[in-house]
Amino acid sequence: RQAEQGDGGLSADPSFVALKGAAKVFAHRDAEAVADLSISTLAMDPNAAVWRGLARVELGQMAGAQRDFNLAMPAVAKLDPKLAAHVKLKAARAAVAMGNVQAARAYVRLLPDRSDDHASDAEVLLVKAQIASSLNQTDKAAALYDDVIKQEVQPFGVQARLEKAMLLNDAGKLDDKAVLAELEKLRMMWRGDDLELRILTALSERQLAVGDVVAGLKTMRIATVNFPNSDDARAMGARMPDIF
């Protein structure tokens, strides 16, 4: 910021804008990072795509993240090994979220089972659980989700509990009453990002499925109020009059 104030011409320099965008990724200012890294001169730059993909994953923009990581891979090989592993892990998350299980498995195979980063290890386990779930390997996925939960690393533990509950409920191994109780606990445990919206969405769907329309509408309203800029929340709000 000081450099930019001292030389206004830096704002037009793509390498400066890219550096600013990368810094915002580190600062968890992900929406601002995507904006900086999406200017026309950086849109097709593999190095900018690395950081843009990382920011999009944190924003839950998995389709865009997958496109960015596909563009970024030539640049990833030149990164510090630890940073390269981090990028491949996030790329695996984006791939599995978009149903591209083959790509997700390929990324995971490039990652160590254990590292010196406890959070990364938990995230790797989560991706492996998601892959197993996508392949309808219910028991394997449930066991991997349990491994994530045991790591006690958030938000991955909460996400694992959510996905395990939905998996077992869909498989007929967890009844509606039990899954509703679990979702009610999870909504109290995590607030303020895309994961909260996913919890609220799952809770409202299950409430409606068991015929508790009043509770379902209340949960949907919370989601629309808490996430006014989310396309998913807006779509949920559009359904509410018909449900009522």
Side-chain angles (χ1 to χ4, degrees), residues 5 115 230:
Q5 291 170 351
S115 71
S230 165

Short mmCIF file of all heavy atoms in Angstrom, two decimals, residues 5 115 230:
data_model
loop_
_atom_site.label_atom_id
_atom_site.label_comp_id
_atom_site.label_asym_id
_atom_site.label_seq_id
_atom_site.Cartn_x
_atom_site.Cartn_y
_atom_site.Cartn_z
N GLN A 5 0.97 4.15 -2.89
CA GLN A 5 0.76 5.57 -2.60
C GLN A 5 1.94 6.42 -3.07
O GLN A 5 1.77 7.56 -3.49
CB GLN A 5 0.53 5.76 -1.10
CG GLN A 5 -0.80 5.19 -0.62
CD GLN A 5 -0.91 5.16 0.90
OE1 GLN A 5 0.06 5.41 1.61
NE2 GLN A 5 -2.09 4.83 1.41
N SER A 115 2.38 -35.00 7.10
CA SER A 115 3.26 -33.85 6.92
C SER A 115 3.50 -33.23 8.29
O SER A 115 3.05 -33.75 9.32
CB SER A 115 2.62 -32.84 5.97
OG SER A 115 1.52 -32.19 6.61
N SER A 230 -25.18 -14.54 -1.54
CA SER A 230 -24.98 -15.88 -2.06
C SER A 230 -26.07 -16.23 -3.08
O SER A 230 -27.26 -16.08 -2.81
CB SER A 230 -25.01 -16.90 -0.92
OG SER A 230 -25.17 -18.20 -1.41
#
